[in-house]
Amino acid sequence: MDFKKAFDIVLREVLWQVLAGLEVEGRFLRCLQAMYAKDTVCINHPSEGVTSSFKCQQGVKQGCPFNPLLFGLYLDALKGRLDSKECNAPALANVRIWLLLFVDNLALMSESEVGLQQLLNAFQQFYVKRGLTMNVKKTNVMVFNFVHPCQEFMFKGDIIERVQTFKYMGILLETTPNLDSAVEHLATASRHSLFTLNQCCAMLRIMDVKLCCNLFNTLVRSITNYACEVWVDSKKIEAIEVVYRGFLKSLLGVRKTTSTSIVLAEFGKFPFEHFAWGQALLYYNRVNTITKNRILGKAWEAQLVMLAVGKKCWVGSMKKWLLKN
């Protein structure tokens, strides 16, 4: 689900009522209200210039650390709008999860067509009361493991487009049960970022190797490392290695056919895969000790069940790697 200008359309009076209903009262609530009491804005018109300032009575402040929390609380009541059994929500270790919400990223889930349409109908009623606006053109439906023709899903009289791939929280998901497409997408994005970095370094005549490596770590590896803990066993990880090796070889000014081992030794580096498995191992230990009543803990339990019945899963891949190494 995609909100139109999510932070700009929050109704403040409704927000204060929501916070009061959550027992956020007294001095803390008055402090929040005081932050917005004399909030003024102006508009930079393309032809008429900057307008005079006027009072703003809706929305939350852009860049404010409270923004994600306030918006999340503003939508929190959505969880109680529909019974998870009625909408046939998927179960994770016997806990039904039909809603994923992080700031303004929202995903509704159901194991049936009827259930998903019920969720959409319930959400439509909720978002009207909250004064929200949905961008139906950017809202998509993705169907997993469906063999017969699927019905059209409607939201406010409009048909929601059905897609084969969908990006959620920066990861590209597809109908197949792997993350190969996500890894290829990250590799493509990192190549574009590396190309831009090389152009800027050439234009600014940046020749210092240490500075170039720091820029690469900040601008490119932040992309290649994203969520590597969960896709480290992907067959497409070589696409990430190519970006990593290519940067090091171009920095040394050697041919692409030069031995990778020699190049890595020159920089005192290891292959990207070593780093990714190290991150995955840290994540494995963290999830293994996390509180079991949290969603992540339930995901761990579900993975163990899959492992016990011989299904391919992330925990199984981690255990194989640990036995091998």
Side-chain angles (χ1 to χ4, degrees), residues 149-317:
C150 185
Q151 71 171 54
E152 298 285 1
F153 294 97
M154 309 292 293
F155 188 83
K156 205 176 179 181
D158 295 319
I159 296 176
I160 302 177
E161 181 186 3
R162 182 176 168 183
V163 296
Q164 297 299 313
T165 59
F166 182 74
K167 186 187 289 186
Y168 183 73
M169 300 295 293
I171 288 293
L172 192 69
L173 304 175
E174 59 181 2
T175 54
T176 56
N178 61 62
L179 293 174
D180 289 346
S181 293
V183 179
E184 289 182 324
H185 175 75
L186 291 173
T188 301
S190 62
R191 284 195 295 270
H192 292 165
S193 180
L194 179 58
F195 178 78
T196 303
L197 173 61
N198 289 335
Q199 279 190 320
C200 291
C201 287
M203 182 176 64
L204 298 174
R205 298 184 179 180
I206 298 176
M207 306 295 292
D208 184 77
V209 173
K210 186 176 180 179
L211 178 57
C212 288
C213 287
N214 287 338
L215 290 171
F216 177 82
N217 291 337
T218 302
L219 302 174
V220 182
R221 285 203 63 167
S222 57
I223 300 174
T224 61
N225 296 356
Y226 188 71
C228 66
E229 297 86 347
V230 294
W231 54 256
V232 65
D233 61 335
S234 171
K235 296 177 182 179
K236 302 295 182 179
I237 194 172
E238 177 62 20
I240 301 292
E241 292 280 13
V242 169
V243 177
Y244 187 50
R245 293 196 301 260
F247 166 73
L248 296 179
K249 289 180 180 181
S250 66
L251 204 57
L252 287 177
V254 298
R255 296 180 179 178
K256 293 182 179 180
T257 55
T258 303
S259 171
T260 300
S261 299
I262 295 175
V263 173
L264 292 173
E266 181 69 23
F267 284 95
K269 304 285 187 180
F270 292 96
F272 174 80
E273 187 175 5
H274 289 204
F275 166 82
W277 279 110
Q279 293 297 107
L281 185 58
L282 291 173
Y283 188 63
Y284 177 90
N285 291 332
R286 174 174 170 247
V287 177
N288 188 25
T289 57
I290 205 165
T291 307
K292 301 306 177 185
N293 61 355
R294 295 177 58 184
I295 291 182
L296 201 54
K298 295 298 180 183
W300 175 262
E301 291 181 16
Q303 289 271 312
L304 294 180
V305 172
M306 293 175 66
L307 181 63
V309 297
K311 291 185 177 180
K312 184 180 179 181
C313 61
W314 178 79
V315 170
S317 299

